[in-house]
Amino acid sequence: MLESFLQNLINALQWGSFYALIALGYTLVYGVLTLINFAHGDIFMVGAYIAFFAASFALTTLGLSGWAALALTIPITMILTAMVGVTLERIAYRPLRRKGANRLYVVITALMCGLILEHSNLAILGASRKAFPTLIDLKIYHIGGVTITNLNIAVILVTSLVFIMLHKIVTKTRVGMAMRAISYDKFAVPLMGIPLDNIIVITFILGSGLAGLAGLMFAMSYPVLEPYMGALIGWKAFIAAVVGGIGDIRGAFLGGFLLGAVEIMVVAFFPSTLRDLIAFTVLLVILTLRPTGLFGIAKTTKI
Amino acid sequence: MMLSVKDLEVKYGNIQALHGISFHVNEGEIVTLIGANGAGKTTTLMSICGITPPRKGEIAFKGSRIHHLKPESIVQLGICQVPEGRRIFPGMTVVENLEMGAFLRNDKAGIKSDLDMVFDLFPILDQRRSQLGGTLSGGEQQMLAISRALMARPRLLLLDEPSLGLAPLIIQQIFEIIKKINKESGTTIFLVEQNANQALKLAHRGYVMENGRITLVDKASVLLENDEVKKAYLGL
């Protein structure tokens, strides 16, 4: 019993890591722009594909070893995915912001951007799935009755480290404080000489870079890529962010793990076809009880 | 001349907010702009800060034109605004709010000594250093808003209705501090107010604004005795 619990816990932490990483991007952008960037799940998908091309290039064209290829793939994926996010902000969201468009239009634009990313992928690369190359050898450890892989550990550790760093950035650095300031009052911020557009760009760099990292780790863990892979996981990560209290990074982090845990536990005890139904029901109940999410208390700690 | 505004016109869509206003502020002065709600006072300040760019006319600071500059460049030049309604960041501590005021500065030592300076000016904020801005009283929030602007080391401080919604005693206190800031650090002050009586008592010169036009200009002491001003703004 204890063994099966521990096993499920590890699975939940690993699965929840992906939700948490993507949810952080949703919540960062929401905190600064009060925009739900519905293209974010597809930015994650683009990240996975960028990782695929970067890894394939490093392995075959450059002939690097797995570890060297990984070391190269991580920064390339994060930087290029961040550029995709920043490009969306530049060509889609910023013009609407300049015109003072209603939030509804911006959200619809975000949805469309996501669909454009999905379908341009389909148009360019075709419908066939891509198999992600093996970068590092999978090592499986058996501790007691619990099975854990080096990849599991890496995913959980990296996600936790990313969260700690992001939390430091948001609470301790000048740019992070400016992000919080914008979330409270974006009209007052320019009067202090804080360049609004630059801070927004940095927010998109952070959020999309993390989505890229999530895409890479996801592709390494589940090495089959297809254009719609970001859609459902993106929605779920969004819900995780809302359950945690959107706008608060601690909420996104915990919400992601909570959703991962619910899904894994459902599969452990019920038929797996019930997974999404029960997971969403649990989240609905949480939101009914706490409409502002776990950390959304009194709006005192946004982002 | 510190600030000179010439024939400034601002439109919001089809609505003309400012119909070619001109005024100036000399170095070291306290100048007030008084007028009723909707006269265009806040719009004037927002154009100076580069938030609402003018349709026509020019704004010059120390002789060079600034009306095409971005808000951050204008702050960098030394113009800083304390906005109407204080607009402090409610979920950030007093110190964090102040640090945001110093966003463009990199001199750590200077920032630290300026923190001490504003805490000296407003001892109550010193006691509230790590308290969230949203939990302060209205008067304390106004003090924080002024301090936050001072953290940018402005040469010209723009104040938009600092007396709004405050008790008479607190207003008195705030105006005395404004006077002190002007006297001790030589900071030039441009004060926008509806509370004409207090503002004219504090200021050296005053402008009266009505429907986007400047209708009167004079020494503050003269305006205080002006019959029109008395009737329209002083309730006498």
Side-chain angles (χ1 to χ4, degrees):
Chain A
M1 190 60 207
L2 180 68
E3 282 167 5
S4 109
F5 174 76
L6 284 176
Q7 183 68 61
N8 281 321
L9 183 68
I10 287 162
N11 294 348
L13 284 175
Q14 188 246 6
W15 190 230
S17 291
F18 298 116
Y19 289 143
L21 276 178
I22 302 169
L24 285 172
Y26 270 110
T27 220
L28 278 173
V29 169
Y30 184 86
V32 170
L33 284 180
T34 49
L35 159 69
I36 298 162
N37 179 19
F38 277 124
H40 194 62
D42 297 300
I43 291 175
F44 157 80
M45 175 275 292
V46 171
Y49 273 83
I50 288 172
F52 166 78
F53 286 113
S56 308
F57 177 78
L59 282 175
T60 46
T61 315
L62 298 181
L64 295 176
S65 70
W67 282 101
L70 178 63
L72 194 65
T73 304
I74 293 171
I76 289 178
T77 306
M78 288 181 73
I79 290 167
L80 290 183
T81 316
M83 282 168 64
V84 173
V86 170
T87 308
L88 280 190
E89 197 277 321
R90 261 290 159 80
I91 63 175
Y93 306 146
R94 188 180 292 191
L96 288 174
R97 196 164 67 240
R98 288 269 187 281
K99 290 189 178 119
N102 189 302
R103 274 168 68 190
L104 178 65
Y105 301 108
V106 190
V107 169
I108 293 171
T109 304
L111 276 169
M112 292 308 114
C113 289
L115 290 172
I116 287 170
L117 288 178
E118 283 174 24
H119 291 279
S120 32
N121 181 335
L122 194 65
I124 296 166
L125 300 174
S128 64
R129 297 173 165 212
K130 297 256 180 293
F132 196 80
T134 311
L135 287 175
I136 53 170
D137 293 325
L138 200 65
K139 285 203 180 67
I140 302 170
Y141 309 101
H142 299 280
I143 305 159
V146 181
T147 309
I148 188 165
T149 70
N150 51 353
L151 207 53
N152 288 154
I153 299 170
V155 168
I156 297 166
L157 271 183
V158 167
T159 304
S160 305
L161 274 178
V162 161
F163 171 72
I164 292 166
M165 272 171 55
L166 200 59
H167 194 259
K168 276 262 183 298
I169 289 175
V170 167
T171 53
K172 295 277 184 278
T173 69
R174 206 185 317 193
V175 166
M177 276 202 266
M179 287 164 67
R180 275 159 64 213
I182 292 172
S183 80
Y184 290 118
D185 195 333
K186 64 167 169 285
F187 297 102
V189 150
L191 300 176
M192 266 139 263
I194 299 172
L196 198 61
D197 284 338
N198 297 358
I199 303 290
I200 289 169
V201 166
I202 292 171
T203 309
F204 272 87
I205 288 175
L206 282 172
S208 307
L210 295 187
L213 183 64
L216 167 64
M217 295 201 300
F218 190 86
M220 288 170 74
S221 308
Y222 310 96
V224 180
L225 308 187
E226 47 103 8
Y228 301 109
M229 64 186 279
L232 188 60
I233 200 169
W235 281 107
K236 287 183 173 174
F238 162 61
I239 292 165
V242 172
V243 165
I246 194 152
D248 189 307
I249 60 167
R250 295 166 307 170
F253 187 66
L254 285 182
F257 282 114
L258 187 70
L259 182 59
V262 171
E263 289 197 4
I264 295 290
M265 292 304 166
V266 168
V267 177
F269 299 105
F270 298 101
S272 64
T273 45
L274 295 188
R275 184 184 74 181
D276 291 353
L277 177 65
I278 295 183
F280 287 131
T281 310
V282 168
L283 300 178
L284 192 63
V285 171
I286 293 177
L287 281 182
T288 314
L289 297 174
R290 278 193 79 94
T292 51
L294 298 175
F295 279 92
I297 326 149
K299 285 193 171 178
T300 50
T301 41
K302 278 194 156 189
I303 293 201
Chain B
M1 201 182 299
M2 195 104 205
L3 179 77
S4 107
V5 171
K6 272 195 204 115
D7 306 317
L8 183 68
E9 279 187 39
V10 173
K11 277 186 178 182
Y12 295 113
N14 287 325
I15 303 158
Q16 185 139 13
L18 299 180
H19 300 267
I21 61 165
S22 301
F23 64 91
H24 71 274
V25 181
N26 296 317
E27 185 152 9
E29 259 188 324
I30 302 180
V31 173
T32 184
L33 177 66
I34 58 176
N37 245 342
K41 305 186 299 292
T42 297
T43 302
T44 306
L45 287 190
M46 287 304 175
S47 323
I48 297 171
C49 292
I51 310 282
T52 51
R55 276 293 162 89
K56 276 185 194 157
E58 71 164 58
I59 303 171
F61 180 66
K62 290 182 175 170
S64 48
R65 292 175 184 190
I66 58 164
H67 53 258
H68 56 278
L69 297 180
K70 287 183 171 180
E72 56 262 32
S73 318
I74 293 172
V75 174
Q76 192 93 60
L77 286 174
I79 302 180
C80 208
Q81 185 189 150
V82 182
E84 184 178 356
R86 316 181 249 283
R87 289 187 172 268
I88 56 142
F89 305 118
M92 297 169 75
T93 64
V94 166
V95 171
E96 285 177 331
N97 266 281
L98 293 172
E99 281 173 0
M100 284 292 94
F103 186 86
L104 290 175
R105 293 172 56 184
N106 285 316
D107 53 327
K108 274 202 173 146
I111 292 173
K112 198 171 171 306
S113 79
D114 281 1
L115 268 179
D116 292 339
M117 181 269 291
V118 299
F119 286 140
D120 220 35
L121 215 48
F122 299 106
I124 188 79
L125 294 180
D126 196 5
Q127 294 168 30
R128 306 235 187 286
R129 273 172 189 256
S130 47
Q131 205 168 313
L132 294 182
T135 63
L136 301 179
S137 74
E140 290 163 1
Q141 289 191 0
Q142 187 63 59
M143 294 173 193
L144 179 56
I146 294 173
S147 306
R148 186 176 63 181
L150 290 177
M151 290 303 292
R153 276 204 185 163
R155 297 305 309 140
L156 171 64
L157 182 66
L158 313 172
L159 293 139
D160 197 351
E161 307 249 11
S163 73
L164 192 75
L166 300 181
L169 212 64
I170 307 285
I171 297 178
Q172 201 76 46
Q173 213 182 329
I174 299 266
F175 274 54
E176 256 152 42
I177 294 282
I178 295 172
K179 196 174 190 174
K180 195 172 166 195
I181 292 167
N182 172 256
K183 264 229 177 94
E184 289 184 2
S185 59
T187 309
T188 309
I189 287 173
F190 186 59
L191 169 70
V192 160
E193 259 299 342
Q194 280 193 62
N195 191 334
N197 185 30
Q198 293 277 2
L200 289 173
K201 277 182 187 157
L202 174 75
H204 304 116
R205 290 189 305 122
Y207 290 85
V208 179
M209 194 171 202
E210 261 171 62
N211 298 322
R213 291 187 174 84
I214 286 178
T215 51
L216 279 172
V217 194
D218 220 319
K219 278 186 181 163
S221 52
V222 177
L223 286 175
L224 264 173
E225 298 304 321
N226 181 298
D227 285 338
E228 272 176 68
V229 174
K230 272 183 176 173
K231 226 163 85 185
Y233 302 105
L234 302 176
L236 296 171

